[in-house]
Each structure stands twice: as structure tokens, then as C-alpha cells.
Amino acid sequence: MSTPLPWHQPITAPSDSHRQAALQRQTQLTKPAGSLGQLEALAVTLASLQATDQPRAERISMAVFAADHGVCEEGISAFPQAVTGQMIANFVTGGAAISVMARQLNADLEIINLGTATPPPLQDGVIDEQVAAGTANLARQPAMTDVQLHAALTAGDRAAQRAADHQADLFIGGDMGIGNTTSASALACALLDETPTTLTGPGTGLDPSGVAHKVSIIEQALTRHRQACAEKSHESLAVLGSLGGFEIAALAGAFIGCAVRSIPVLVDGFIVSTAALAACQLRPELRDWLLFAHQSQEPGHRRLLQALEANPLLDLSLRLGEGSGAAVAVPLLRNACALHNQMATFADASVSSQNE
């Protein structure tokens, strides 16, 4: 790995002076203290991260990272791998959930192909970051070589740079890849030292026997990983390369890259949270730059949120991926900023405060 990756660059700490100023302003607004709950906390956090007295969530950069997974050879998905490429085309033509949400939010949306088993039906509008035609079968060998891992991480960092070029107030990363809940579950188990039965769910809709088979494949992958990676010196990278996916690694690279460039990140569901956990183990300072949109219906997501000490904004039983849950939460951030910036203070409105 010759090219420097973003975890070699400093991550600036949030601005404590702007945090204190935002907290002080909240006490002066025409409302009982704390009455807007998490909306107050969101505005204060964004003011601190953006180092401003006027937090904002207007310019949104979204990037959906797509890739296939060799572990699909083990029959762990209800859908064929061709769906990954087909969904890339659906994203570009505007028919997917995240495409609809991006239009609603007037957000920039990138579709980034890191490698599919079946090429997408169209290429126009897709950013080509192909690493390979999907990862290797993680149940039988490492999912990625070191070179492939580096390429995926760097692709994510390039997406963060484009978000910075667009002067984004907020970054949302999404995922697409048939088989990626198996990869994410295996990765989360290794990072958290949990059993597959605890973190593995139905993904795209497996029945109980399908989930049981998926658990057995993950157990096989974890056994192989422990034997192969026991001597590795950088465990977080070893786990990511052994059990991750190209899109999961790219998300990790994007999150670190955003933090390096002082861009807050709104984290989506189970797959994206797994990438966030891996990235935080590489760069613990990253955690300050992460906001968490929702708790997904995937059973392992609650455990990931607990490990990340995250308080998600929503619980709507979502499990789609694509960054869709994060997109749904954006209006909450915009409302939090509007209330913080535009409400009158007690002095402005000639209203008696609680202390008078």
C-alpha cells in the first residue's frame, strides 16, 4: 500500500467554542429549556462540527457504493447477483428509493460501481471505480487482496473529496450489493467478538432455514478468518480485507475522508453502520463526525449502535439500505437548524424568560 490513505491525515476536533455558543443560544430561545429535545442537540452538534453560529443541512452529498460478493456462491441471498447491476441502472434512471429521496432533498447523488458480477445495463451516469467483478468468497478465502482493499478505501476517499468540492454540509453514504448483509454480519461479528446467531438477520428476505444457512456460512468464514489473520499486525484492516465488501470498504474510506475534510456524516442502517464501526476502529476521532439516522430492522443493527454509542433519530422498521434511512432523516436536521437559527430570543420577542 504505497499511496497514503486518509487515516494518516489529521481529523480536526469539533469546535468547543461554537458548541458552547450554540448551547448558550438554546437557553435564550423562546421555549422552555430542553423542550425541543434531540432537535436542540442536533443543532448544537452541527454548529460544533461546522464551526459556525449558523448550522446548516442544505447542501447534501450522497454516494451509493455498489459491488458484488463472492459469498453468494454459498446460496445466502434470496436474490440473484444480477440484481446489483440492475439496481445500479435503476439508481441512475431515477427509479430507486434513494433516487426519489435525492430529488426531494435537492441533493447531489453519485452512483459508484466498485465491481459487479454482471455489468450494469447502462454505464452513463455511473462513476467507474471497478476493483474486480465482486469480492472473493469470504467463506473460503479472504474477500479482498491488500491491493483491492486499498483501491476500495481510496475510491471512498475520492467520493469524500468530491463532497468537499461541492461544499457539502452533510455526507450520506449508501450501499448496494447482493450478499452484503452476510459480509457485514461476518465483519461485525469479528469486530465486536459476537456470535453470528446474535447479529445475523434475513437480509433481502430469507426464511428461517435460509437464515440458519447464512449463520453457518458466517461461522465458517469467521473460523477461516481467525486462523488466517491471527498474526496480522493491524487487526481492523485485516478484518475488513478478510470479511468485508468493496462497497463496505469504500464507505469506511469515505467516512474517514469526510472527517479529514470536516464534513459531518449522517449514517444509514446496518451495512453502513458496520462500515462506520470499522472506520472508527481505524480512526477513533472519526466518531465525533458521525450522526446516526435510524435503527434498522436488521437484528444486528441495535448491537452496532450500542458499540458506537449512537442515539439514532428514527425507528421506522426500515431495512432497504441505499442510504434511504439517512435521507428520510435529513428534514429533521434541516428543521433543527432552522429552529436554532431563526427562532427569536426572549430579548428579541420581549418575552419574560424562566429566570425573570
Side-chain angles (χ1 to χ4, degrees), residues 32-227:
S35 59
L36 288 175
Q38 286 194 63
L39 294 178
E40 296 183 17
L42 276 174
V44 170
T45 298
L46 283 172
S48 175
L49 293 175
Q50 295 172 346
T52 182
D53 294 327
Q54 296 278 311
R56 60 199 177 272
E58 297 307 311
R59 295 189 296 270
I60 312 295
S61 283
M62 298 179 177
V64 178
F65 299 93
D68 273 319
H69 293 256
V71 72
C72 285
E73 296 171 359
E74 307 293 339
I76 45 75
S77 176
F79 285 83
Q81 281 192 292
V83 169
T84 304
Q86 292 164 0
M87 282 301 299
I88 288 174
N90 193 30
F91 293 140
V92 172
T93 56
I98 194 59
S99 309
V100 173
M101 292 303 302
R103 290 195 297 273
Q104 290 290 312
L105 298 170
N106 194 28
D108 294 325
L109 175 61
E110 293 185 345
I111 310 304
I112 302 167
N113 182 10
L114 292 139
T116 57
T118 302
L122 55 83
Q123 299 292 337
D124 290 345
V126 180
I127 296 175
D128 181 16
E129 292 275 14
Q130 175 138 327
V131 177
T135 56
N137 183 349
L138 60 84
R140 302 177 185 276
Q141 65 188 95
M144 291 173 261
T145 66
D146 287 349
V147 171
Q148 290 172 338
L149 175 59
H150 179 273
L153 288 161
T154 305
D157 185 60
R158 281 194 285 268
Q161 181 59 57
R162 289 190 295 271
D165 293 341
H166 294 157
Q167 298 182 312
D169 300 324
L170 190 71
F171 179 84
I172 291 173
D175 65 278
M176 178 63 216
I178 296 301
N180 66 4
T181 59
T182 297
S183 177
S185 296
L187 181 58
C189 285
L191 293 173
L192 297 174
D193 195 24
E194 291 278 3
T195 62
T197 53
T198 303
L199 300 185
T200 305
T204 51
L206 294 174
D207 60 19
S209 64
V211 174
H213 174 63
K214 186 174 173 180
V215 166
S216 71
I217 295 301
I218 293 171
E219 288 173 340
Q220 181 178 331
L222 291 171
T223 298
R224 180 203 59 75
H225 165 76
R226 282 190 290 267
Q227 293 170 345

Side-chain angles (χ1 to χ4, degrees), residues 229-236 238:
C229 296
E231 302 301 321
K232 294 268 186 170
S233 60
H234 202 323
E235 181 60 18
S236 296

Side-chain angles (χ1 to χ4, degrees), residues 262-285:
S262 299
I263 304 171
V265 173
L266 185 59
V267 178
D268 191 46
F270 179 63
I271 307 297
V272 178
S273 295
T274 304
L277 179 64
C280 284
Q281 290 198 1
L282 288 168
R283 290 297 300 272
E285 317 97 297

Side-chain angles (χ1 to χ4, degrees), residues 295-307:
Q295 179 175 300
S296 106
Q297 202 173 26
E298 253 325 275
H301 196 209
R302 183 186 296 273
R303 177 67 182 91
L304 283 170
L305 292 170
Q306 180 186 42

